[in-house]
Amino acid sequence: DAGVIQSPRHEVTEMGQEVTLRCKPISGHDYLFWYRQTMMRGLELLIYFNNNVPIDDSGMPEDRFSAKMPNASFSTLKIQPSEPRDSAVYFCASSGGQGRDDTQYFGPGTRLTVL
Amino acid sequence: GENVEQHPSTLSVQEGDSAVIKCTYSDSASNYFPWYKQELGKGPQLIIDIRSNVGEKKDQRIAVTLNKTAKHFSLHITETQPEDSAVYFCAATFRTDKLIFGTGTRLQVFP
């Protein structure tokens, strides 16, 4: 398996622009997690899905952030409008769920820079 | 509330020495405790994990211990090598499906 795939790997945009980050989980995994990593706040869980349904979005910073999972093999995290404080590395992770393999496997991340 | 504390934030050791990283968690219902290693420019990678029904687990040079009563768990790396240099994160489950991560430990192994 290719592992969790994220695109783009790097994104540089200007304040106010819309940013869309993409994730393809490991095939067969039914949990998908979006994290944000910064020096100040460490690794924060933003939202997670089970069987394509959002379960907990309490980590989403504000209404500018939205996430979707239209099918089992694809998820997006959108920021609109983007702000400089959104600059961070965004990770997607997937797992097989409790009772099976609940190890979370992380993708390589998307480094977002908002100017 | 959900919280995982990790110490130390940085750790420097000589090659061949041992390294120990400690974490405490707040949720007594937590039952799964993974450790991740993150190298520069990469995503965190699982290196070892332990479940609440086990007190210790070992995999070659890496071991993890768990004290459920005290809500402590620790990572032990023996015979450290330069390639062990990375940031290490502990984590604990919260409400079954969610992982709460510690703040990370930057380990440097000097040759």
Side-chain angles (χ1 to χ4, degrees):
Chain A
D1 199 312
V4 175
I5 299 172
Q6 291 187 247
S7 65
R9 293 295 311 277
H10 302 273
E11 177 80 35
V12 180
T13 190
E14 293 189 345
M15 183 173 62
Q17 296 298 306
E18 178 179 294
V19 174
T20 299
L21 311 181
R22 297 172 176 82
C23 175
K24 177 178 168 56
I26 292 172
S27 177
H29 281 183
D30 55 357
Y31 279 84
L32 184 140
F33 305 82
W34 281 102
Y35 290 89
R36 178 172 68 176
Q37 187 175 41
T38 62
M39 288 295 293
M40 291 298 295
R41 300 175 68 89
L43 201 56
E44 303 174 275
L45 177 65
L46 300 178
I47 184 171
Y48 74 96
F49 297 82
N50 178 221
N51 292 320
N52 312 337
V53 176
I55 303 300
D56 185 343
D57 65 354
S58 59
M60 295 286 262
E62 49 198 274
D63 292 345
R64 298 184 298 106
F65 286 69
S66 62
K68 293 182 180 179
M69 192 164 185
N71 57 62
S73 59
F74 184 65
S75 177
T76 60
L77 178 68
K78 187 175 291 188
I79 308 172
Q80 166 63 18
S82 58
E83 296 183 3
R85 60 191 167 124
D86 302 329
S87 297
V89 181
Y90 291 81
F91 289 103
C92 176
S94 70
S95 72
Q98 290 292 327
R100 292 174 288 160
D101 182 5
D102 49 14
T103 300
Q104 290 189 22
Y105 296 88
F106 281 75
T110 295
R111 180 174 294 277
L112 174 65
T113 302
V114 183
L115 302 174
Chain B
E2 57 209 65
N3 188 43
V4 175
E5 293 189 3
Q6 183 172 348
H7 300 281
S9 56
T10 60
L11 181 59
S12 296
V13 299
Q14 205 73 32
E15 182 178 0
D17 288 349
S18 295
V20 180
I21 302 170
K22 298 181 179 181
C23 290
T24 60
Y25 59 98
S26 59
D27 183 10
S28 56
S30 295
N31 60 2
Y32 175 63
F33 308 91
W35 285 88
Y36 285 83
K37 176 184 181 182
Q38 186 177 23
E39 297 176 327
L40 196 61
K42 297 184 179 180
Q45 300 294 311
L46 180 77
I47 55 171
I48 195 168
D49 56 15
I50 192 167
R51 298 187 184 276
S52 57
N53 58 347
V54 175
E56 184 173 357
K57 184 176 178 181
K58 192 173 181 180
D59 183 4
Q60 300 182 341
R61 297 185 297 108
I62 295 173
V64 58
T65 58
L66 172 65
N67 182 330
K68 283 220 73 179
T69 303
K71 292 191 275 189
H72 289 173
F73 58 115
S74 300
L75 177 71
H76 304 252
I77 306 174
T78 58
E79 301 173 24
T80 53
Q81 301 168 3
E83 51 264 39
D84 294 330
S85 297
V87 179
Y88 291 81
F89 291 94
C90 62
T93 49
F94 180 73
R95 294 180 183 168
T96 307
D97 298 328
K98 197 169 162 176
L99 273 182
I100 303 301
F101 283 82
T103 49
T105 296
R106 183 173 299 278
L107 173 64
Q108 287 186 298
V109 181
F110 293 97

